[in-house]
Amino acid sequence: MNKNLYQPISSEIIKIIDESPTIRSYVIVPEEPFKFETGQFVELTWPGVGEAPFTPSSSPADTEKMEISIMKVGHVTELLHECEKGQKIGIRGPYGNGYPLDDFIGKHVYIVGGGVGLAPIRSLFLTLIDRIEDFKSIVCRFGARTPDDFIYKEAVFGHWQEIEGVDMKLTVDKADDNWKGNVGVVTTICNEQDVDVSNTVAVICGPPIMMKFATLKMLEFGFKPAQIYLSMEKNMSCGFGKCGHCMIGKYYVCKDGPVFTYEQIKDYPNIWD
Amino acid sequence: MLGMRHQINRGERVGIVSISKLSVLLNAVAEQIELYTPKKIGNHYTFAKYDSSIETPLHFNNVRAYTPIKDFLFPLSELVAVFSKSVEPNEVKPFAIFGLKDCDLRSIEILDKVFLEEEFQDPFYQRRREKLFIISSDCFDPAESCCCTLFGGRPFAQSGFDLNVSKTSDGFIVEVGSNKGRDFVEKHSQLFTDAPEALLIERDKTRAKTQKQIEQNNSKYELDAPVNKVLENSTDSEVFDIESQKCVECQACTRICPTCHCFYLYDTRQKDYFAKMKMWDSCMRMAYAAVAGGANPRKVLGDRIKHRLMHKFSYFFDRYGIDMCVGCGRCIDADSHGMDIRVVLKKLNEELRTKPKAEVAK
């Protein structure tokens, strides 16, 4: 008898962090060992209410607990925001392919992120800096609507900036009185001079419109479609390539993704919709 | 044995016997396990539980039943998880179905590819699948919508059955297609006699005649190239949008399709536990691919129709090496507004004929 694919593992919420007006992070402890690779996703169940896919924002190296950042955006996520510390939720997975880190070795990693897209990026970033000597450099170009909309503020505004080998720039669409940085969409802080394109991989994660324009920007810089890694957000339901909801052309995002190179999916219609 | 590869190849002719009455065979099956047989409702067949104690007319269905076989293996709705305890699939008793056709058997092959895929076997499907005893039968007098021959099928079982029954002028020929089938015939050897050569010749003639009939009915729908190539070269065609004007989005085509297997998972609150249910879904539904933020890659109906056909003939073929359509024609019968998959493909084919050669990739 095979394992029941549909059965969530009970997990306790041990901490809740308010990241921004619409985003909260949940630190959960699964009751069974739960390993994942950075970039893979999980299905979270609020028992009796609903299920939705999320990419953990914590490092896979932390095998005791896992962090998941949830933006209030639909029915299930709104209800998930009502979960409280101590509550039990369900987790299934992990599913799909993570970031192919071996392909990044010896290269600059150029990460463009926006909004809640920083969640998968945080997991990737923590994984990369654990072995930072493997990479030429890590370039981060992060954006948010307003300074208050940045998640992981302490890290993004603070200690991540100071790590040797990391080049980080931030931008907001709309500044407040205290903001001293760049104002504009994330592509306004991406410069061709930042990197040696021939020896760089680009990683993009964020809202669809941002991913579209960041991808176009990278192409303009001379990146080949196969050098651009996208973390695709689709309506993943089962998680293992059967239910059909997340299909982009022949690919099941849940099984063949969620990380794709632009090369793989560029010819399919409406990938950004 | 699971893995679903029947261990006996049809070509080996491990056993071809004959029996005088169908009821004798079915009673012997029903004595052992639950049996479903075709029942005529209006112009169509569905399956009903067979009860040998009641004198009900036994139908030898000329064509596939209206009920898709997935109904037995992957029900409309089922409980797949309970929180926070774990749930094991219910014990399934062995059961048999009489009257499945080649198209039904091929649809099982397709579902097996999806639900028994090595890495992610669906335990609920698996339970039912391994308990199914298949008694297929030959088609005769095909329906107008039958188009299996266009999609590699035949009006008689080619493989994937335990026993197959062919009607002749003098009783029935029973062919063994698996070890399970052979065990049955050996155990009930007193019921069978050797199949006379003359009857086998008659059977093959009838098969050829029926096949020819379907081929003739569908000759006007034949394509110039393999169906996946026709579709892959037509992704920019307006035919999908034009055809979509006939579609009222009732989703009947996907529900009745024996190979469509989309589903969605939803959570419910029961009296003293939480349940996760799995239910049939349809890619023809507007919100099917929409995400929470509102993005939806297939807002336009024509795009959904295109996706459905691409999935059947291109994407599925790429992944599993077979088409996800068996030409059973159920979707044609079900569509009250007259969308016919054969017509859509033929229109794309005609359009390609007028395209400059350079634009048509081989």
Side-chain angles (χ1 to χ4, degrees):
Chain A
M1 182 61 211
N2 289 295
K3 194 174 133 257
N4 180 0
L5 300 164
Y6 304 100
Q7 182 67 50
I9 297 168
S10 180
S11 312
E12 186 181 344
I13 299 172
I14 59 161
K15 195 177 171 190
I16 298 173
I17 305 154
D18 281 315
E19 304 281 7
S20 82
T22 55
I23 300 169
R24 294 176 106 183
S25 293
Y26 293 81
V27 184
I28 64 169
V29 178
E31 281 172 8
E32 291 170 31
F34 196 103
K35 280 188 184 160
F36 68 98
E37 286 168 30
T38 186
Q40 285 189 302
F41 75 98
V42 300
E43 290 281 349
L44 273 198
T45 301
W46 189 11
V49 173
E51 192 173 51
F54 300 95
T55 302
S57 55
S58 52
S59 165
D62 183 353
T63 53
E64 298 291 304
K65 56 189 191 311
M66 182 188 293
E67 263 185 74
I68 292 167
S69 299
I70 299 175
M71 180 162 75
K72 218 193 265 193
V73 66
H75 172 66
V76 177
T77 50
E78 252 171 52
L79 292 165
L80 278 167
H81 265 236
E82 289 170 19
C83 284
E84 287 168 6
K85 194 179 152 184
Q87 199 168 332
K88 297 274 174 69
I89 59 171
I91 182 170
R92 292 193 293 125
Y95 297 120
N97 297 323
Y99 290 106
L101 296 182
D102 288 345
D103 297 350
F104 297 0
I105 292 172
K107 294 178 181 162
H108 301 278
V109 185
Y110 196 100
I111 308 174
V112 187
V116 77
L118 290 193
I121 286 175
R122 177 174 180 259
S123 174
L124 173 67
F125 184 87
L126 295 173
T127 310
L128 294 176
I129 60 171
D130 265 353
R131 44 187 279 201
I132 198 159
E133 64 285 354
D134 283 350
F135 313 102
K136 282 218 131 166
S137 75
I138 299 167
V139 183
C140 298
R141 299 291 179 258
F142 297 160
R145 249 177 315 186
T146 69
D148 199 28
D149 284 311
F150 262 109
I151 56 175
Y152 320 128
K153 292 185 181 64
E154 220 173 281
V156 171
F157 297 150
H159 60 269
W160 283 7
Q161 305 246 4
E162 287 143 30
I163 300 167
E164 210 186 310
V166 174
D167 161 17
M168 185 172 308
K169 280 187 189 154
L170 306 177
T171 186
V172 293
D173 295 348
K174 200 167 170 249
D176 60 16
D177 293 343
N178 299 321
W179 183 256
K180 307 253 182 327
N182 188 77
V183 178
V185 294
V186 74
T187 46
T188 62
I189 51 170
C190 299
N191 294 304
E192 210 167 341
Q193 297 77 27
D194 287 342
V195 282
D196 161 20
V197 169
S198 66
N199 197 29
T200 304
V201 292
V203 176
I204 303 173
C205 188
I209 186 81
M210 178 236 124
M211 291 183 69
K212 176 180 176 177
F213 285 102
T215 301
L216 294 176
K217 195 71 164 178
M218 295 305 116
L219 294 171
E220 198 184 302
F221 289 171
F223 280 93
K224 292 196 178 74
Q227 284 173 278
I228 303 171
Y229 293 85
L230 306 165
S231 186
M232 298 305 289
E233 183 214 14
K234 292 287 162 213
N235 184 6
M236 293 89 104
S237 176
C238 72
F240 32 78
K242 301 200 193 314
C243 81
H245 289 259
C246 66
M247 283 182 92
I248 299 181
K250 70 173 178 183
Y251 294 114
Y252 287 94
V253 172
C254 67
K255 193 174 168 194
D256 307 315
V259 177
F260 290 96
T261 63
Y262 182 58
E263 177 69 34
Q264 286 176 284
I265 56 174
K266 66 180 168 49
D267 295 328
Y268 290 112
N270 310 330
I271 57 169
W272 309 115
D273 290 339
Chain B
M1 172 61 202
L2 244 134
M4 296 309 143
R5 291 280 143 250
H6 287 265
Q7 291 175 358
I8 295 168
N9 293 322
R10 186 178 162 269
E12 288 171 26
R13 292 220 160 179
V14 287
I16 298 191
V17 289
S18 75
I19 194 162
S20 59
K21 283 173 83 177
L22 188 58
S23 58
V24 174
L25 170 69
L26 297 182
N27 286 345
V29 174
E31 256 172 42
Q32 289 187 311
I33 55 178
E34 204 160 84
L35 170 67
Y36 293 86
T37 58
K39 182 184 171 186
K40 199 155 195 182
I41 295 179
N43 290 324
H44 296 292
Y45 290 100
T46 179
F47 290 105
K49 207 181 276 183
Y50 178 77
D51 186 347
S52 59
S53 66
I54 305 170
E55 279 290 319
T56 45
L58 197 52
H59 292 290
F60 193 107
N61 50 324
N62 58 326
V63 290
R64 79 305 181 264
Y66 222 32
T67 317
I69 179 73
K70 70 179 177 186
D71 217 19
F72 285 92
L73 300 171
F74 160 44
L76 174 63
S77 171
E78 70 179 321
L79 175 75
V80 292
V82 168
F83 198 79
S84 57
K85 304 184 294 278
S86 69
V87 60
E88 286 283 304
N90 285 335
E91 205 45 60
V92 176
K93 285 193 197 137
F95 66 107
I97 306 176
F98 166 69
L100 295 178
K101 304 298 186 183
D102 187 53
C103 56
D104 295 312
L105 305 186
R106 296 204 303 139
S107 76
I108 297 175
E109 186 187 352
I110 288 162
L111 295 177
D112 284 352
K113 294 234 183 256
V114 175
F115 290 111
L116 300 178
E117 204 172 19
E118 250 167 52
E119 205 184 343
F120 298 108
Q121 289 197 352
D122 184 314
F124 300 90
Y125 179 90
Q126 184 189 25
R127 274 289 158 95
R128 295 190 180 90
R129 179 68 181 92
E130 60 189 3
K131 295 295 166 66
L132 170 61
F133 187 76
I134 297 171
I135 311 165
S136 53
S137 63
D138 292 4
C139 300
F140 53 93
D141 192 13
E144 195 283 323
S145 59
C146 284
C147 53
C148 59
T149 55
L150 286 178
F151 302 101
R154 293 286 175 267
F156 50 87
Q158 302 173 90
S159 64
F161 57 92
D162 295 306
L163 296 176
N164 181 74
V165 182
S166 316
K167 197 177 182 177
T168 71
S169 56
D170 184 19
F172 300 85
I173 290 176
V174 178
E175 181 169 344
V176 169
S178 74
N179 288 339
K180 268 203 277 187
R182 178 166 52 197
D183 289 348
F184 179 87
V185 169
E186 279 172 4
K187 196 176 159 197
H188 298 87
S189 57
Q190 79 284 359
L191 303 179
F192 301 101
T193 54
D194 285 340
E197 194 59 31
L199 284 191
L200 285 178
I201 293 168
E202 184 195 324
R203 179 189 79 165
D204 290 349
K205 268 191 185 160
T206 311
R207 285 179 165 186
K209 187 183 143 213
T210 311
Q211 182 175 334
K212 191 142 201 206
Q213 233 177 317
I214 300 175
E215 282 166 357
Q216 277 169 354
N217 287 350
N218 289 286
S219 59
K220 57 183 173 291
Y221 301 116
E222 266 165 34
L223 306 175
D224 298 337
V227 56
N228 60 333
K229 295 295 161 209
V230 170
L231 274 161
E232 286 160 16
N233 284 317
S234 303
T235 50
D236 57 351
S237 171
E238 285 174 11
V239 166
F240 303 104
D241 287 331
I242 294 166
E243 284 293 311
S244 79
Q245 290 166 11
K246 294 182 197 163
C247 173
V248 295
E249 300 180 55
C250 69
Q251 307 162 22
C253 56
T254 52
R255 311 284 165 174
I256 202 153
C257 174
T259 71
C260 275
H261 54 268
C262 287
F263 61 86
Y264 75 98
L265 297 170
Y266 68 99
D267 293 81
T268 65
R269 222 180 273 260
Q270 301 298 327
K271 210 168 161 194
D272 47 7
Y273 62 93
F274 300 119
K276 193 179 290 298
M277 308 292 294
K278 173 180 160 196
M279 191 174 180
W280 291 1
D281 200 356
S282 171
C283 63
M284 298 304 292
R285 200 164 57 77
M286 167 76 164
Y288 172 80
V291 299
N296 184 352
R298 292 186 292 277
K299 283 188 199 78
V300 178
L301 180 57
D303 287 346
R304 297 202 286 283
I305 292 172
K306 178 163 66 185
H307 178 77
R308 178 160 186 263
L309 294 180
M310 286 295 282
H311 187 197
K312 288 199 170 294
F313 298 108
S314 172
Y315 307 152
F316 196 88
F317 183 83
D318 265 8
R319 190 171 289 262
Y320 297 111
I322 52 174
D323 286 340
M324 205 182 97
C325 171
V326 293
C328 68
R330 286 181 177 91
C331 58
I332 301 168
D333 289 344
D335 195 308
S336 57
H337 288 73
M339 196 185 308
D340 184 328
I341 189 170
R342 297 171 297 188
V343 173
V344 178
L345 293 172
K346 189 66 182 178
K347 282 188 177 171
L348 296 173
N349 186 78
E350 297 311 296
E351 202 175 56
L352 286 177
R353 281 186 180 172
T354 64
K355 256 193 188 178
K357 274 264 180 317
E359 284 178 35
V360 181
K362 285 291 159 201

